[in-house]
Amino acid sequence: MNVVVTAVALGAVAEANGAAPTVVSDAYAAVKRLLDERGIDLSALERRPDSATQRAALWETLTDLGAAGDNELMAAARRLVEVIGVDAAEAGPAVGVDLNQVEAEFLRVQHVQSGGSAVIVERSRFPSGIELTDLNAGVGRGNHP
């Protein structure tokens, strides 16, 4: 479900910038339509896509609805993240990498450029370790690590 939350936050940033390519707008509209059909209101996250609180609220709602098993929604979210990475990479810096309640054997994060925090990991577990390389935080806001 984290891919859905990330996709919505990235889509909201891309749309807020006002210059999202048609492929991004279309992919974002598809995700929003699917969420709307499931009764999920995105207005708070769209207003504050950089808010960890709003992303956590969406994650909780998706969890409560069992969205992890929603193949159509997951595919649409993955498609949105993919097209943003290709056609609207500037949407990424407002979000960075934000993981919450993830369990995996190992975490590797590379090549992150963020206007805020580069990586946030909360309530997660990686028994074999974490590798972080080539992270740039606070980009565009002076020299903040």
Side-chain angles (χ1 to χ4, degrees):
M1 272 162 319
N2 213 28
V3 69
V4 177
V5 175
T6 299
V8 171
L10 289 171
V13 170
E15 289 290 305
N17 289 342
T22 301
V23 67
V24 172
S25 294
D26 291 349
Y28 185 47
V31 170
K32 286 176 51 172
R33 178 187 51 78
L34 291 170
L35 291 169
D36 185 59
E37 288 173 0
R38 288 147 180 83
I40 298 173
D41 178 19
L42 298 176
S43 60
L45 183 58
E46 287 184 313
R47 280 191 305 277
R48 303 251 347 258
D50 61 335
S51 167
T53 301
Q54 295 305 326
R55 290 192 310 261
L58 177 58
W59 186 87
E60 184 176 357
T61 299
L62 291 167
T63 300
D64 290 348
L65 295 175
D70 188 331
N71 294 331
E72 183 181 20
L73 177 59
M74 298 301 274
R78 284 188 196 97
R79 171 76 178 136
L80 176 56
V81 171
E82 177 184 306
V83 298
I84 286 174
V86 172
D87 294 303
E90 69 279 359
V95 177
V97 176
D98 188 354
L99 303 175
N100 190 346
Q101 296 184 347
V102 175
E103 289 195 28
E105 191 61 33
F106 186 82
L107 172 67
R108 175 178 291 134
V109 179
Q110 301 174 311
H111 314 297
V112 176
Q113 185 169 340
S114 173
S117 298
V119 178
I120 298 172
V121 179
E122 299 176 292
R123 297 184 305 248
S124 298
R125 186 171 165 261
F126 307 98
S128 292
I130 297 174
E131 179 183 319
L132 306 172
T133 58
D134 191 21
L135 307 178
N136 294 297
V139 175
R141 294 193 296 171
N143 292 331
H144 301 288

